[in-house]
Amino acid sequence: MGNGSRREAETDGKQKAPENRNRREAEKGESEERQGEKQMTGEEKTRAYAWARALCHYAGEDEAFLERFFEMLTASEGVAREFLYYLEHQNFLCKYQVAGYSLIDIMVWQMDHFKAQLDRDRESMKSNGDKMLLEAFHTMLLMEQNPEYYVNLMQTETGTDYVGKYS
């Protein structure tokens, strides 16, 4: 998952880089990485839209969600590249990260919430892998806009399966 530890400076043996500085450095690196990426071609957009439409349908999302999702997706070169890779390979590329978190990290965090949904008897979540996949991509798109909020959630919110949660 994300790197919440502090780096030690090699000089003077002091801790030099607080978390905010680490985050700024990571965001700068992500920004530079995004600049080197290419936009989706027309064919890729067509394939991505068709797949996004199918995912939304199977996930029970409406047309309005699809349009918002696809607009965000095409504006994000990093998430779009991950989305296209998954479409082609049915596996995660995991090269793009937001604040140190990849799609796999988001999926793991969401699994805790999935288990919590089952604990609340939300049957619709039991067998909808498409919904979980779509939510992971959507969460990463939202995380690009507000990384601190989602990092805080991922570091503080957990599912229900640990001792003493309800004590």
Side-chain angles (χ1 to χ4, degrees):
M1 290 213 157
N3 182 4
S5 64
R6 295 176 188 246
R7 287 190 233 150
E8 288 190 12
E10 295 194 16
T11 58
D12 299 330
K14 295 181 183 177
Q15 290 185 338
K16 186 173 182 173
E19 288 181 17
N20 287 341
R21 183 170 175 190
N22 287 345
R23 184 175 37 229
R24 282 193 305 270
E25 289 171 359
E27 288 169 357
K28 179 182 174 194
E30 290 163 9
S31 175
E32 290 169 358
E33 179 181 314
R34 280 193 292 263
Q35 290 173 0
E37 296 173 0
K38 63 179 179 94
Q39 292 282 10
M40 277 194 273
T41 65
E43 178 194 344
E44 288 171 332
K45 269 188 180 177
T46 300
R47 288 183 18 237
Y49 186 82
W51 189 49
R53 180 183 211 88
L55 274 178
C56 286
H57 171 76
Y58 293 121
E61 298 293 347
D62 62 14
E63 196 76 22
F65 178 89
L66 167 64
E67 296 305 322
R68 285 190 312 273
F69 173 78
F70 197 71
E71 181 179 331
M72 292 170 65
L73 181 67
T74 56
S76 171
E77 294 173 12
V79 179
R81 183 173 53 158
E82 296 283 335
F83 191 80
L84 287 169
Y85 185 89
Y86 193 90
L87 169 62
E88 294 170 7
H89 301 279
Q90 300 300 295
N91 202 352
F92 294 100
L93 179 60
C94 289
K95 292 212 175 192
Y96 181 68
Q97 296 182 351
V98 177
Y101 290 87
S102 71
L103 277 165
I104 293 290
D105 297 320
I106 292 170
M107 291 281 299
V108 168
W109 172 64
Q110 287 179 335
M111 287 303 290
D112 269 346
H113 291 276
F114 172 74
K115 289 186 265 180
Q117 295 295 320
L118 291 178
D119 290 347
R120 294 183 194 117
D121 202 28
R122 302 275 299 274
E123 292 294 319
S124 66
M125 294 294 286
K126 255 188 190 172
S127 60
N128 199 335
D130 294 320
K131 184 170 186 70
M132 292 186 70
L133 183 63
L134 180 63
E135 285 182 6
F137 282 108
H138 187 238
T139 298
M140 184 169 248
L141 289 166
L142 295 172
M143 192 172 180
E144 284 182 324
Q145 297 170 7
N146 191 354
E148 296 83 14
Y149 174 76
Y150 286 94
V151 167
N152 181 55
L153 288 178
M154 284 191 253
Q155 292 177 351
T156 60
E157 281 190 359
T158 61
T160 59
D161 58 349
Y162 67 88
V163 176
K165 174 138 188 184
Y166 293 111
S167 298

